Amino acid sequence: ALMGTRGPTTGGEPVIDDQWEVRRQGSPAANQFKPYMIAVEVTKEEADVPETIRLTPTEMLSRLMPHILEMESQADGKRIAIGIAGGPGTGKSTLATELVAMLNAVRPGSSALVPMDGFHMKHAKIEAMGQTEFKGAPHTFEGAAFVSFLHHLKHAREAVNGPGYSRKIEDTVDDAFTVDPEVRVLVVEGNYLLLDRAPWRELAGLWDLSVMLDVPMEELRRRLTARWQGLGRSPAEVMAHLENDLGNAELVLRESLPADLRVRPETIS
């Protein structure tokens, strides 16, 4: 096994620790910035899934930051795009938001959050299609518009506005965020960033680093139940949302292209 590091020393050399094993998929993006390799304790249960690593949210952020800062430094002023994918309830929005805040704390104004959810179809359109119960599935997004938006955004030199999504009104909100010209790191989060279906697969070439969050279904069920109950939904509505969300989460894991890093977030007890 490839033995790894908990982080760089002051001299920039890896700290080798034979109690930890590096698990990585071998893509250029994942391997480019040694000695910042991500390490994880080996467990018997994970032996059959060598591409998955287990990290707490804090560990994830502390290990992603050096990668991304180095990528930005080596990009010669060009924008880079970080894709954080995962099914509903995996924590991708929280991770992406915190990552952007940390990047901007180091280099103010350098990073922007770009959520995929703003490219839901308008609720009225989904209703007219008779697809309300499937809202959140790939076919209820303006996928082609999202692909076009990201391709433009990665190379834009002007300020660009983008849409957001409000769970309170269950609809999209126009001009919910602005990506300023000086932004060099786009942190994009969404369910289908790596989906191997048209038009989503056209996103694959945009990612300078991609991360897939893989959360067990029972944990997703717990999180999503709390989410919908917290929004005041009735028990029947919660069950309907759960069935739809968990189905979409399974689709993400089953039909997504490989990510540079696949992470199983650990809960801090």
Side-chain angles (χ1 to χ4, degrees), residues 23-25 30 37-41 46 49-64 67 82-87 89-92 95 99 194 209-216 219-220 223 252-253 257-267:
R23 296 182 175 191
R24 54 190 174 83
Q25 294 198 13
M37 292 187 296
I38 294 179
V40 61
E41 286 185 331
E46 289 187 323
V49 193
E51 75 276 12
T52 300
I53 60 177
R54 298 180 65 149
L55 298 169
T56 66
T58 299
E59 289 171 337
M60 240 187 296
L61 288 165
S62 67
R63 286 157 171 77
L64 284 172
H67 277 278
I82 313 301
I84 300 178
T90 52
K92 58 191 178 299
L95 175 64
L99 182 58
L194 294 168
L209 180 69
S210 59
V211 180
M212 173 64 75
L213 302 184
D214 179 358
V215 175
E219 174 62 14
L220 285 185
R223 294 182 187 184
V252 168
L253 293 178
L257 296 164
D260 295 316
L261 301 171
R262 190 180 185 102
V263 180
R264 174 156 291 187
E266 289 279 81
T267 302

Side-chain angles (χ1 to χ4, degrees), residues 71 75 158 173 179 192 221 239:
M71 291 170 76
E158 74 283 3
V173 179
V179 177
Y192 306 123
R221 181 180 293 275
M239 288 303 299

Side-chain angles (χ1 to χ4, degrees), residues 10 14 27 43 111 133 153 155 158 232-233:
T10 53
S27 73
T43 65
S111 182
E133 64 182 301
L153 187 60
H155 303 287
E158 74 283 3
R233 301 298 188 264

Side-chain angles (χ1 to χ4, degrees), residues 26-46:
S27 73
N31 298 340
Q32 186 175 4
F33 297 113
K34 299 175 184 178
Y36 300 104
M37 292 187 296
I38 294 179
V40 61
E41 286 185 331
V42 181
T43 65
K44 184 177 183 298
E45 292 76 16
E46 289 187 323

Side-chain angles (χ1 to χ4, degrees), residues 190-234:
N191 295 353
Y192 306 123
L193 304 187
L194 294 168
L195 192 65
D196 192 14
R197 290 186 183 181
W200 305 95
R201 66 171 63 96
E202 295 177 34
L203 295 170
L206 286 177
W207 309 126
D208 297 282
L209 180 69
S210 59
V211 180
M212 173 64 75
L213 302 184
D214 179 358
V215 175
M217 286 296 157
E218 282 309 306
E219 174 62 14
L220 285 185
R221 181 180 293 275
R222 184 192 68 78
R223 294 182 187 184
L224 292 165
T225 298
R227 170 187 291 181
W228 292 114
Q229 288 176 340
L231 290 170
R233 301 298 188 264
S234 69

